[in-house]
mmCIF file of all heavy atoms in Angstrom:
data_model
loop_
_atom_site.group_PDB
_atom_site.id
_atom_site.type_symbol
_atom_site.label_atom_id
_atom_site.label_comp_id
_atom_site.label_asym_id
_atom_site.label_seq_id
_atom_site.Cartn_x
_atom_site.Cartn_y
_atom_site.Cartn_z
ATOM 1 N N ALA A 252 -1.638 -49.926 230.633
ATOM 2 C CA ALA A 252 -2.656 -49.495 231.593
ATOM 3 C C ALA A 252 -4.045 -49.552 230.966
ATOM 4 O O ALA A 252 -5.013 -49.923 231.595
ATOM 5 C CB ALA A 252 -2.337 -48.071 232.074
ATOM 6 N N ALA A 255 -5.367 -53.291 230.341
ATOM 7 C CA ALA A 255 -5.400 -54.215 231.480
ATOM 8 C C ALA A 255 -6.727 -54.975 231.462
ATOM 9 O O ALA A 255 -7.781 -54.383 231.317
ATOM 10 C CB ALA A 255 -5.248 -53.442 232.782
ATOM 11 N N PRO A 260 -16.048 -61.965 235.323
ATOM 12 C CA PRO A 260 -17.290 -62.140 236.084
ATOM 13 C C PRO A 260 -17.333 -63.495 236.763
ATOM 14 O O PRO A 260 -16.561 -64.399 236.435
ATOM 15 C CB PRO A 260 -18.368 -62.040 234.991
ATOM 16 C CG PRO A 260 -17.665 -62.482 233.743
ATOM 17 C CD PRO A 260 -16.254 -61.994 233.880
ATOM 18 N N GLY A 311 -60.274 -67.358 253.299
ATOM 19 C CA GLY A 311 -61.166 -66.981 252.205
ATOM 20 C C GLY A 311 -62.507 -67.688 252.290
ATOM 21 O O GLY A 311 -63.560 -67.081 252.050
ATOM 22 N N ALA A 329 -68.639 -93.160 258.635
ATOM 23 C CA ALA A 329 -69.338 -94.332 259.174
ATOM 24 C C ALA A 329 -69.202 -94.423 260.690
ATOM 25 O O ALA A 329 -70.099 -94.944 261.371
ATOM 26 C CB ALA A 329 -68.804 -95.604 258.520
ATOM 27 N N ILE A 373 -61.474 -94.859 247.276
ATOM 28 C CA ILE A 373 -62.636 -94.411 248.067
ATOM 29 C C ILE A 373 -63.831 -94.139 247.159
ATOM 30 O O ILE A 373 -64.950 -94.625 247.414
ATOM 31 C CB ILE A 373 -62.279 -93.157 248.876
ATOM 32 C CG1 ILE A 373 -61.284 -93.521 249.990
ATOM 33 C CG2 ILE A 373 -63.532 -92.509 249.475
ATOM 34 C CD1 ILE A 373 -60.760 -92.336 250.755
ATOM 35 N N TYR A 377 -67.249 -96.098 247.388
ATOM 36 C CA TYR A 377 -68.320 -95.425 248.129
ATOM 37 C C TYR A 377 -69.005 -94.344 247.287
ATOM 38 O O TYR A 377 -68.388 -93.738 246.403
ATOM 39 C CB TYR A 377 -67.777 -94.783 249.409
ATOM 40 C CG TYR A 377 -67.264 -95.771 250.426
ATOM 41 C CD1 TYR A 377 -65.927 -96.162 250.428
ATOM 42 C CD2 TYR A 377 -68.117 -96.313 251.394
ATOM 43 C CE1 TYR A 377 -65.450 -97.068 251.342
ATOM 44 C CE2 TYR A 377 -67.642 -97.228 252.320
ATOM 45 C CZ TYR A 377 -66.312 -97.601 252.300
ATOM 46 O OH TYR A 377 -65.836 -98.514 253.215
#
Side-chain angles (χ1 to χ4, degrees):
I373 291 174
Y377 295 91

